[in-house]
Coordinates of all heavy atoms in Angstrom, one line a residue:
A149 N 0.0 7.7 -19.1 CA 0.6 7.0 -17.9 C 2.0 6.6 -18.3 O 2.9 6.6 -17.4 CB -0.3 5.8 -17.6
I150 N 2.3 6.1 -19.5 CA 3.6 5.7 -19.9 C 4.5 6.8 -19.9 O 5.7 6.7 -19.5 CB 3.5 5.0 -21.3 CG1 2.7 3.7 -21.2 CG2 4.9 4.8 -21.9 CD1 2.5 3.1 -22.6
A151 N 4.1 8.0 -20.4 CA 4.9 9.2 -20.4 C 5.3 9.6 -19.0 O 6.5 10.0 -18.8 CB 4.2 10.3 -21.2
K152 N 4.4 9.5 -18.1 CA 4.7 9.9 -16.7 C 5.8 8.9 -16.1 O 6.7 9.3 -15.5 CB 3.5 9.8 -15.9 CG 2.5 10.9 -16.1 CD 1.2 10.8 -15.2 CE 0.2 11.8 -15.6 NZ -1.0 11.6 -14.7
L153 N 5.6 7.6 -16.4 CA 6.5 6.6 -15.9 C 7.9 6.8 -16.4 O 8.9 6.5 -15.8 CB 6.0 5.2 -16.2 CG 4.8 4.7 -15.4 CD1 4.3 3.4 -15.9 CD2 5.3 4.5 -13.9
R154 N 8.0 7.3 -17.6 CA 9.3 7.6 -18.3 C 9.9 8.9 -17.8 O 10.9 9.3 -18.3 CB 9.1 7.6 -19.8 CG 8.7 6.2 -20.4 CD 8.5 6.3 -21.9 NE 9.8 6.7 -22.6 CZ 9.8 7.2 -23.8 NH1 8.7 7.4 -24.5 NH2 10.9 7.6 -24.3
G155 N 9.2 9.6 -17.0 CA 9.6 10.9 -16.5 C 9.5 12.0 -17.5 O 10.2 13.0 -17.4
R156 N 8.6 11.9 -18.4 CA 8.4 12.9 -19.5 C 7.2 13.8 -19.2 O 6.8 14.6 -20.1 CB 8.3 12.2 -20.8 CG 9.5 11.4 -21.2 CD 9.4 10.8 -22.6 NE 9.3 11.7 -23.6 CZ 10.3 12.3 -24.2 NH1 11.5 12.1 -23.8 NH2 10.1 13.2 -25.2
G157 N 6.6 13.7 -18.0 CA 5.5 14.6 -17.7 C 4.2 14.2 -18.3 O 4.1 13.1 -18.9
D158 N 3.2 15.1 -18.1 CA 1.9 14.8 -18.6 C 1.5 15.7 -19.7 O 0.3 15.9 -20.0 CB 0.9 14.8 -17.5 CG 0.6 16.2 -16.9 OD1 1.4 17.1 -17.2 OD2 -0.3 16.4 -16.2
D159 N 2.4 16.3 -20.4 CA 2.1 17.2 -21.5 C 1.3 16.5 -22.6 O 1.6 15.3 -23.0 CB 3.4 17.8 -22.2 CG 4.0 18.8 -21.3 OD1 4.0 18.7 -20.1 OD2 4.6 19.8 -21.9
A160 N 0.2 17.1 -23.1 CA -0.7 16.6 -24.1 C -1.4 17.7 -24.8 O -1.4 18.8 -24.4 CB -1.7 15.6 -23.4
A161 N -1.9 17.4 -26.0 CA -2.6 18.4 -26.8 C -3.7 17.8 -27.5 O -3.8 16.6 -27.9 CB -1.6 19.1 -27.7
L162 N -4.7 18.7 -27.9 CA -5.7 18.4 -28.8 C -5.4 19.0 -30.1 O -5.0 20.2 -30.2 CB -7.1 19.0 -28.3 CG -8.2 18.9 -29.3 CD1 -8.8 17.5 -29.4 CD2 -9.3 19.9 -28.9
I163 N -5.4 18.2 -31.2 CA -5.2 18.6 -32.6 C -6.5 18.7 -33.3 O -7.2 17.6 -33.4 CB -4.2 17.7 -33.3 CG1 -2.9 17.6 -32.6 CG2 -4.0 18.2 -34.8 CD1 -1.9 16.6 -33.2
V164 N -6.9 19.8 -33.8 CA -8.1 19.9 -34.6 C -7.8 20.6 -35.9 O -7.2 21.6 -36.0 CB -9.2 20.8 -33.8 CG1 -10.5 20.9 -34.6 CG2 -9.5 20.3 -32.4
I165 N -8.2 19.9 -37.0 CA -8.0 20.4 -38.3 C -9.3 20.5 -39.0 O -10.1 19.6 -39.0 CB -7.1 19.4 -39.1 CG1 -5.8 19.2 -38.4 CG2 -6.8 19.9 -40.5 CD1 -5.0 18.0 -38.8
S166 N -9.6 21.6 -39.7 CA -10.9 21.9 -40.2 C -10.8 22.5 -41.6 O -9.8 23.2 -41.9 CB -11.8 22.8 -39.3 OG -11.1 24.0 -39.2
T167 N -11.9 22.3 -42.4 CA -11.9 22.9 -43.7 C -13.4 23.1 -44.1 O -14.3 22.4 -43.5 CB -11.3 22.0 -44.8 OG1 -11.1 22.8 -46.0 CG2 -12.1 20.8 -45.1
P168 N -13.7 24.1 -44.9 CA -15.2 24.3 -45.3 C -15.7 23.1 -45.9 O -15.1 22.4 -46.7 CB -15.1 25.5 -46.2 CG -13.8 26.2 -45.9 CD -12.9 25.2 -45.5
K169 N -17.0 22.8 -45.5 CA -17.7 21.6 -46.1 C -18.6 22.1 -47.2 O -19.5 22.9 -47.1 CB -18.6 21.0 -45.0 CG -19.4 19.8 -45.4 CD -18.5 18.6 -45.9 CE -19.4 17.4 -46.3 NZ -18.6 16.4 -46.9
R170 N -18.3 21.5 -48.4 CA -19.0 21.9 -49.6 C -19.7 20.7 -50.3 O -19.9 20.8 -51.5 CB -18.1 22.6 -50.6 CG -17.4 23.9 -50.0 CD -16.6 24.6 -51.1 NE -16.0 25.8 -50.6 CZ -14.8 25.9 -50.1 NH1 -14.0 24.8 -50.1 NH2 -14.3 27.0 -49.7
E171 N -20.0 19.7 -49.6 CA -20.7 18.5 -50.2 C -19.9 17.9 -51.3 O -20.4 17.5 -52.3 CB -22.1 18.9 -50.7 CG -23.0 19.6 -49.7 CD -23.5 18.6 -48.7 OE1 -23.2 17.4 -48.8 OE2 -24.2 19.0 -47.7
S172 N -18.6 17.7 -51.1 CA -17.8 17.1 -52.2 C -16.6 16.3 -51.5 O -16.2 16.6 -50.4 CB -17.2 18.1 -53.1 OG -16.2 18.9 -52.5
D173 N -16.1 15.3 -52.2 CA -15.0 14.6 -51.7 C -13.7 15.4 -51.6 O -12.8 15.0 -50.9 CB -14.7 13.3 -52.6 CG -15.8 12.3 -52.5 OD1 -16.6 12.3 -51.5 OD2 -16.0 11.6 -53.5
R174 N -13.7 16.5 -52.3 CA -12.5 17.4 -52.2 C -12.2 18.0 -50.8 O -11.1 18.3 -50.5 CB -12.6 18.5 -53.3 CG -12.4 18.0 -54.7 CD -12.5 19.2 -55.7 NE -13.8 19.8 -55.7 CZ -14.2 20.8 -56.4 NH1 -13.2 21.4 -57.2 NH2 -15.4 21.3 -56.4
D175 N -13.3 18.1 -50.0 CA -13.1 18.6 -48.7 C -12.2 17.6 -47.9 O -11.2 18.0 -47.2 CB -14.4 18.7 -48.0 CG -15.4 19.6 -48.8 OD1 -14.9 20.5 -49.4 OD2 -16.6 19.3 -48.7
A176 N -12.5 16.3 -47.9 CA -11.7 15.3 -47.2 C -10.3 15.3 -47.9 O -9.3 15.1 -47.2 CB -12.4 14.0 -47.3
D177 N -10.2 15.4 -49.2 CA -8.9 15.4 -49.9 C -8.0 16.5 -49.4 O -6.8 16.4 -49.3 CB -9.1 15.5 -51.4 CG -9.7 14.2 -51.9 OD1 -9.6 13.2 -51.3 OD2 -10.2 14.3 -53.1
A178 N -8.6 17.7 -49.1 CA -7.9 18.8 -48.6 C -7.3 18.5 -47.2 O -6.1 18.8 -47.0 CB -8.8 20.1 -48.5

Side-chain angles (χ1 to χ4, degrees):
I150 293 173
K152 290 180 184 179
L153 285 171
R154 294 177 62 199
R156 298 181 64 83
D158 67 347
D159 286 36
L162 171 74
I163 301 172
V164 181
I165 303 166
S166 61
T167 194
K169 178 65 179 169
R170 300 187 179 94
E171 302 290 355
S172 71
D173 294 336
R174 286 182 295 178
D175 305 329
D177 289 342

